[in-house]
Amino acid sequence: TYGSVEVYFQYMKKKPPFNSEEKRLILLQKLNKAPNISFSIDSIERRPRFTLKELTNENTLRVLLESYDWVLTELKESYRIEK
């Protein structure tokens, strides 16, 4: 391991609902609310990373968990619509 967490925007853009640039930008904005995380706009085309050490900050962990809770909600909603 590299001691870091990667956000797989690069792969997310290939499948709904995150093939929408708007959805990836929303996720980017959510993640950037975390202390010590600051991804640039062009990160939605790549695999930006942050160190595992950042997760020791309670606020960073909270923001990350809330962000991925939103991702799961979006995925579930997309799957429900597709059926």
Side-chain angles (χ1 to χ4, degrees):
T1 67
Y2 299 104
S4 61
V5 175
E6 287 187 344
V7 181
Y8 287 170
F9 287 116
Q10 178 182 0
Y11 302 117
M12 294 171 82
K13 71 180 185 177
K14 296 178 183 181
K15 300 239 179 192
F18 294 99
N19 56 339
S20 159
E21 183 176 294
E22 178 184 2
K23 295 284 186 185
R24 293 191 317 278
L25 284 170
I26 292 170
L27 177 57
L28 177 76
Q29 292 168 351
K30 289 178 177 294
L31 293 170
N32 278 344
K33 289 179 183 176
N36 302 318
I37 292 180
S38 180
F39 296 139
S40 63
I41 295 287
D42 66 338
S43 294
I44 66 166
E45 302 296 327
R46 299 180 285 114
R47 295 184 334 226
R49 68 180 73 171
F50 58 90
T51 66
L52 287 171
K53 180 183 175 192
E54 302 306 331
L55 297 178
T56 62
N57 179 302
E58 286 184 35
N59 289 328
T60 300
L61 181 58
R62 179 185 50 77
V63 169
L64 184 72
L65 293 174
E66 288 173 355
S67 298
Y68 278 97
D69 185 51
W70 176 80
V71 167
L72 290 174
T73 300
E74 291 296 312
L75 289 169
K76 288 176 186 176
E77 181 64 20
S78 175
Y79 179 73
R80 187 183 67 73
I81 291 170
E82 289 179 10
K83 279 188 129 183

